[in-house]
Amino acid sequence: MRKIGIGIAGLGTIGLGVYKHLEGNRRLLTERLGLELTVTKIADLDPERPRTPMPPRELFTNDWHDLINDPEVQVVVELMGGIKVPYDFVTAALEKGKIVVTANKALLAERGKEIFALAAEKRVPVFYEAAAAGGVPIIKALKEAFVANHIRSMHGIINGTSNYILTRMSQAGLSFDAALKEAQAAGYAEADPTLDINGWDAAHKAIILASLAYGFWVDTNDIHVEGIQNITAADIEFAEKLGYKIKLLGVVKADEACVENCKVEVRVHPTLIPKDHVLASVNGVFNAVAVNGDVVGETLFYGRGAGQDATASAVISDIAEAAVALEIPRPNFGFVPHGLYAGCKPIDEVITPYYLRLAVVDRPGVLALITGILSEEQIGISSVIQPESSEEQTVPLVLMLHSAAQGRMNRAAEKIAALDCVKCPPQVLRVETFA
Amino acid sequence: MRKIGIGIAGLGTIGLGVYKHLEGNRRLLTERLGLELTVTKIADLDPERPRTPMPPRELFTNDWHDLINDPEVQVVVELMGGIKVPYDFVTAALEKGKIVVTANKALLAERGKEIFALAAEKRVPVFYEAAAAGGVPIIKALKEAFVANHIRSMHGIINGTSNYILTRMSQAGLSFDAALKEAQAAGYAEADPTLDINGWDAAHKAIILASLAYGFWVDTNDIHVEGIQNITAADIEFAEKLGYKIKLLGVVKADEACVENCKVEVRVHPTLIPKDHVLASVNGVFNAVAVNGDVVGETLFYGRGAGQDATASAVISDIAEAAVALEIPRPNFGFVPHGLYAGCKPIDEVITPYYLRLAVVDRPGVLALITGILSEEQIGISSVIQPESSEEQTVPLVLMLHSAAQGRMNRAAEKIAALDCVKCPPQVLRVETFA
């Protein structure tokens, strides 16, 4: 029986999960693969930390170079976190001809272009199923299952922390702060949740999915990212009344025609989606990605996007593929760039419907002023909610707006914000109709 | 640029879809794969039939042996339908060392064991992504993405015709016959819809999924299959009142512990599922498979399970994999048998909750008789619906029953059927709680 030597760099939560399940399901893996996956070396700065299960002490080193230089290590698994050290490690591994498995979405989003160029040059593949949507095999779907498809669009709930917070705000009427605290207490948000709630964790995944679908590595500067930190309980409630749920969505979309040379939208932002769309029912920490291909039509993938076990499931599937790839002259080293599409569309040109929530002074003529500005920018109104006036000096005013380019919407929002009768910065959220 | 010669056997709806999209998305496929997929021969009994697009006349032959004997054909695609001729074709191709792609679920369910044994012997792979759930890449998920997982269960809506009929019965209150007629008019059911509505089309797919998950080829005699032909509008309505939808479900489940040596349930039957479960929202001709793995947890795959385009998407992804496999000594020839699990569990031992609908004479004491029989078989009752009595001689009586082995439930149903006060054969449906 052929043995594949695996070196794990970083034995944190995910690394330990990979080790645990390689051991726990060893017989099953061996039967299915016809070869044995064996962890032969582990690089970690803290080998003494108590772990369950505890790998034998002699596997450990605190220097990742030892994985690269060990001839018994054929596949390296990068689970260190951060960008700089992982980049040095991954590129050193490729230079040495060692197949790379990584779950590091930030690394690939920021340095993917260079990494995959080096992988292609060295003819050594990089696998990264766990870098987007954890246990959900969406990378494999895009690379292999939908190879015959021009991708019309992808809509993903790809950050479990944000989805947990929005779910709790919706289901229990919590404020953003209260829901975030609850997520932290439950272990679904880190002590510093910045990357999760500001949208950038989802953005890293959206960059990877978009790059795979469209054959050019998407630049972080070419996409639009907003987080959920400004979503209020009032927004959730108004959206509900209007028939929508608010989700942090990664949206990747080809121009209408979805032909070659089209431009691609890549954006992450809180989004109103119709209550009866299947993505509206994806709750808690679960992830889901809806993919629409020009041949396959609508599809959806759902599962756990994070956590020790689900992520380990994806990493081990990559290790298994890496083991097969060791023997073969693969034509695909992780990402195949081509020039069939025309790059990213500037966010100002992106057209969507909008939800606009204002806090206005409760007096006659205010609605006329606002609708006047919208009309100047040729933005149509589909509905207005103006709750009955109360004792408060300001009252909410919610408008649902027809599709308009982002640039126009921005101008309108600026003019509206400058009105005397408008008391807080306007809340502008995009609406996705899936039409 | 390397060219891969493809031979298509059977240019019906699916075959033409494969040809159409290989042509239509040729540039994209070539860029992504780094090689060219070219249809070099087509075997069909009716080459003159007008088709859109129309392949060049010189590609056609009416004898499938010509594909096998053509050295330019490296990959054969079996889309003929039926079992006998496809079996002869596929085995002849494997003997000649030609990689096989097939979408034929009946062929694999009935003859898979022999086909995969021959594939392993000849070291020539067979690909069959389109044989279960059409465009949904569930085969790839089981073979590759979830390789690290013991599969705890799979629940699939894997027959679009049945799901369309049940959806229309539920949403429009149609009778079974009216919904079937509508499905036929819409092209979602064939003139002879037997295999779709009697559950066997779904059963063929369930056999393939279960075999892949558990490493032994499931015998058609070891599974339990019921269709939807006896579901009435009343059942749909009562289920709705009780908080359920009725779906034709393929259920594959390991014994509770999901350890090695466990037995596996494989069954297809109309099933009550809780309204808020995501499978309950899978409507119309769409398919979905929920997979629960011991590492990855809950996942779900959703998309079009049939039709020219979605099926072609899956077939072309197989052709692309076959092209890669041409160059490599693959360890997996389509199905890897092993002895980690203990075979199928007899249906009499399968334990589920039940829905029981009776037509009874409207007189005192009837409920006592029926509950007495259930109590003799130690089957608990969780709720009873007895609509107010009317002018009718018989009235419906619906009972929701706690979990019990099928054998016991059968005995109880027989005794109940023999009662004077029970006027029609009892309607017994299983309930799936996903607990």
Side-chain angles (χ1 to χ4, degrees):
Chain A
M1 176 86 56
R2 198 157 65 93
K3 276 194 190 181
I4 308 295
I6 297 158
I8 297 179
L11 202 71
T13 305
I14 307 303
L16 191 63
V18 171
Y19 180 81
K20 180 173 83 180
H21 293 298
L22 280 173
E23 292 302 318
N25 283 352
R26 169 168 299 287
R27 277 191 62 197
L28 185 69
L29 279 160
T30 306
E31 290 285 351
R32 285 181 176 161
L33 296 172
L35 46 80
E36 215 168 319
L37 305 177
T38 306
V39 176
T40 52
K41 200 154 260 171
I42 296 170
D44 193 275
L45 295 176
D46 186 5
E48 305 298 343
R49 179 146 47 99
R51 293 167 163 98
T52 310
M54 192 70 198
R57 184 65 184 82
E58 65 269 23
L59 295 187
F60 281 92
T61 168
N62 53 23
D63 181 357
W64 60 255
H65 292 90
D66 292 346
L67 301 190
I68 308 282
N69 295 322
D70 184 340
E72 278 189 18
V73 171
Q74 298 163 278
V75 177
V76 298
V77 184
E78 186 281 303
L79 301 167
M80 296 190 273
I83 294 181
K84 203 200 149 327
V85 179
Y87 181 78
D88 293 342
F89 173 71
V90 164
T91 50
L94 293 173
E95 293 281 358
K96 274 274 196 177
K98 295 200 193 284
I99 297 183
V100 171
V101 172
T102 179
N104 192 330
K105 57 217 80 153
L107 172 68
L108 295 179
E110 300 278 351
R111 312 293 298 268
K113 197 170 179 179
E114 299 143 89
I115 289 171
F116 290 112
L118 181 63
E121 184 198 325
K122 299 293 171 188
R123 305 188 67 76
V124 180
V126 177
F127 295 97
Y128 49 101
E129 184 61 70
V136 182
I138 185 69
I139 301 287
K140 185 177 281 300
L142 288 174
K143 271 170 69 176
E144 300 172 18
F146 297 156
V147 68
N149 289 259
H150 282 280
I151 302 301
R152 289 194 193 116
S153 66
M154 294 188 274
H155 292 85
I157 293 174
I158 46 183
N159 180 270
T161 307
S162 292
N163 203 46
Y164 182 86
I165 291 171
L166 292 173
T167 301
R168 293 297 295 158
M169 288 176 75
S170 167
Q171 290 180 348
L174 300 184
S175 71
F176 174 81
D177 289 332
L180 171 58
K181 282 213 182 78
E182 197 187 273
Q184 286 171 320
Y188 295 143
E190 293 177 53
D192 176 3
T194 312
L195 274 183
D196 288 318
I197 64 175
N198 75 5
W200 271 98
D201 174 79
H204 289 151
K205 297 167 190 166
I207 284 173
I208 295 170
L209 298 181
S211 300
L212 265 174
Y214 294 103
F216 63 93
W217 202 261
V218 171
D219 193 295
T220 48
N221 297 311
D222 290 346
I223 71 170
H224 179 79
V225 183
E226 292 170 38
I228 62 164
Q229 57 275 51
N230 297 325
I231 301 296
T232 67
D235 291 321
I236 305 261
E237 215 174 292
F238 283 120
E240 195 91 35
K241 267 187 202 152
L242 292 157
Y244 297 90
K245 294 273 180 193
I246 299 181
K247 295 286 185 189
L248 182 72
L249 226 55
V251 180
V252 177
K253 227 185 221 178
D255 268 4
E256 234 166 278
C258 184
V259 287
E260 291 166 16
N261 296 318
C262 69
K263 283 194 179 169
V264 180
E265 300 172 17
V266 184
R267 46 193 169 95
V268 172
H269 47 70
T271 314
L272 276 72
I273 60 178
K275 257 191 232 175
D276 60 358
H277 191 275
V278 59
L279 284 173
S281 322
V282 174
N283 287 322
V285 294
F286 275 87
N287 281 20
V289 184
V291 182
N292 190 319
D294 70 337
V295 182
V296 75
E298 283 175 56
T299 66
L300 182 115
F301 299 76
Y302 168 92
R304 289 187 181 275
Q308 184 181 52
D309 296 330
T311 310
S313 176
V315 171
I316 297 174
S317 78
D318 275 352
I319 296 173
E321 284 215 52
V324 174
L326 277 170
E327 291 192 285
I328 61 174
R330 280 223 155 194
N332 185 332
F333 301 99
F335 171 68
V336 182
H338 58 71
L340 292 190
Y341 299 97
C344 287
K345 181 187 271 193
I347 184 70
D348 275 6
E349 296 173 17
V350 169
I351 294 171
T352 65
Y354 297 91
Y355 157 101
L356 172 65
R357 179 175 56 77
L358 303 169
V360 297
V361 176
D362 187 16
R363 69 170 183 235
V366 165
L367 189 58
L369 280 172
I370 291 160
T371 54
I373 291 173
L374 291 167
S375 153
E376 274 168 39
E377 293 293 344
Q378 294 175 287
I379 302 173
I381 298 168
S382 64
S383 64
V384 177
I385 302 184
Q386 196 164 19
E388 288 208 27
S389 54
S390 64
E391 302 296 293
E392 309 287 325
Q393 285 202 302
T394 65
V395 292
L397 171 65
V398 174
L399 299 102
M400 297 298 287
L401 307 178
H402 289 304
S403 287
Q406 177 75 42
R408 236 187 245 173
M409 186 65 227
N410 289 350
R411 281 198 303 272
E414 267 172 46
K415 290 188 204 169
I416 289 169
L419 291 174
D420 271 352
C421 58
V422 171
K423 290 304 173 194
C424 304
Q427 172 77 296
V428 180
L429 299 175
R430 288 174 196 77
V431 179
E432 200 66 34
T433 56
F434 304 95
Chain B
M1 177 84 58
R2 199 158 63 93
K3 277 194 190 184
I4 309 295
I6 297 157
I8 297 178
L11 202 72
T13 306
I14 307 301
L16 191 62
V18 171
Y19 180 82
K20 179 174 81 179
H21 293 296
L22 279 173
E23 292 301 318
N25 283 351
R26 168 169 301 287
R27 276 192 61 197
L28 185 70
L29 280 159
T30 305
E31 290 286 351
R32 285 182 176 161
L33 296 171
L35 45 79
E36 214 168 322
L37 305 177
T38 306
V39 177
T40 51
K41 199 153 260 172
I42 296 169
D44 193 276
L45 294 176
D46 186 5
E48 305 298 343
R49 178 148 46 99
R51 293 168 164 99
T52 313
M54 193 71 199
R57 185 65 184 82
E58 65 269 23
L59 295 186
F60 281 92
T61 165
N62 53 22
D63 181 358
W64 59 255
H65 292 90
D66 292 343
L67 303 191
I68 308 283
N69 294 323
D70 184 341
E72 278 190 18
V73 171
Q74 297 163 280
V75 177
V76 297
V77 183
E78 185 281 302
L79 300 167
M80 295 189 274
I83 295 181
K84 203 199 153 324
V85 179
Y87 181 79
D88 293 341
F89 173 70
V90 165
T91 50
L94 292 173
E95 294 280 358
K96 275 273 195 176
K98 297 202 191 282
I99 297 184
V100 171
V101 171
T102 178
N104 192 329
K105 58 218 80 153
L107 171 68
L108 295 179
E110 300 279 350
R111 312 293 297 270
K113 198 171 178 177
E114 301 144 270
I115 288 170
F116 291 112
L118 182 63
E121 185 198 324
K122 299 292 172 188
R123 306 189 66 77
V124 180
V126 177
F127 295 96
Y128 49 100
E129 185 61 72
V136 182
I138 186 67
I139 301 287
K140 182 176 286 295
L142 289 173
K143 271 170 71 177
E144 300 172 19
F146 298 156
V147 67
N149 289 261
H150 283 279
I151 302 301
R152 289 194 193 117
S153 66
M154 292 187 275
H155 292 86
I157 294 175
I158 44 183
N159 180 269
T161 307
S162 291
N163 203 47
Y164 181 86
I165 291 171
L166 291 173
T167 300
R168 293 298 295 158
M169 288 175 75
S170 167
Q171 290 180 348
L174 300 183
S175 71
F176 173 82
D177 288 332
L180 171 58
K181 282 214 182 77
E182 198 187 273
Q184 286 171 319
Y188 296 143
E190 294 176 54
D192 176 3
T194 312
L195 274 183
D196 288 318
I197 64 175
N198 75 5
W200 271 98
D201 174 79
H204 289 151
K205 298 167 189 166
I207 284 173
I208 294 170
L209 298 181
S211 300
L212 264 175
Y214 294 104
F216 63 92
W217 202 261
V218 171
D219 193 293
T220 48
N221 296 309
D222 291 346
I223 71 171
H224 179 79
V225 182
E226 291 170 40
I228 61 165
Q229 57 276 52
N230 296 325
I231 302 295
T232 66
D235 291 321
I236 305 262
E237 215 175 292
F238 283 120
E240 195 92 35
K241 269 187 201 152
L242 290 157
Y244 297 90
K245 293 273 179 193
I246 299 181
K247 295 287 184 187
L248 182 72
L249 226 56
V251 180
V252 177
K253 226 186 221 180
D255 268 3
E256 236 166 277
C258 185
V259 287
E260 291 166 15
N261 296 317
C262 70
K263 282 193 178 169
V264 180
E265 300 172 17
V266 184
R267 47 195 168 92
V268 172
H269 47 70
T271 314
L272 276 72
I273 60 179
K275 256 191 233 176
D276 59 359
H277 191 277
V278 58
L279 283 173
S281 322
V282 175
N283 288 321
V285 294
F286 275 87
N287 280 18
V289 184
V291 182
N292 189 317
D294 71 338
V295 182
V296 75
E298 283 174 57
T299 65
L300 182 116
F301 299 76
Y302 169 93
R304 289 187 181 274
Q308 184 182 50
D309 296 329
T311 309
S313 176
V315 170
I316 296 174
S317 78
D318 276 351
I319 295 172
E321 284 217 51
V324 175
L326 277 170
E327 291 193 287
I328 61 173
R330 280 225 153 190
N332 185 331
F333 302 100
F335 171 68
V336 182
H338 59 72
L340 292 190
Y341 299 97
C344 287
K345 183 187 269 193
I347 185 70
D348 276 4
E349 296 172 18
V350 169
I351 295 172
T352 64
Y354 296 92
Y355 156 101
L356 173 63
R357 179 176 55 78
L358 304 168
V360 297
V361 177
D362 188 15
R363 67 171 186 236
V366 165
L367 188 57
L369 280 172
I370 290 159
T371 56
I373 290 172
L374 291 167
S375 151
E376 274 168 37
E377 294 292 344
Q378 295 176 285
I379 300 172
I381 297 167
S382 64
S383 64
V384 176
I385 302 184
Q386 196 164 20
E388 288 208 28
S389 54
S390 63
E391 303 295 293
E392 308 288 323
Q393 284 203 301
T394 66
V395 291
L397 171 64
V398 175
L399 299 102
M400 296 298 287
L401 307 177
H402 289 303
S403 287
Q406 177 76 41
R408 236 188 244 170
M409 185 66 227
N410 289 349
R411 283 197 303 274
E414 267 172 43
K415 290 188 205 169
I416 288 168
L419 292 173
D420 271 354
C421 59
V422 171
K423 289 305 175 197
C424 303
Q427 172 78 297
V428 180
L429 299 174
R430 289 174 196 78
V431 180
E432 200 66 36
T433 56
F434 303 93

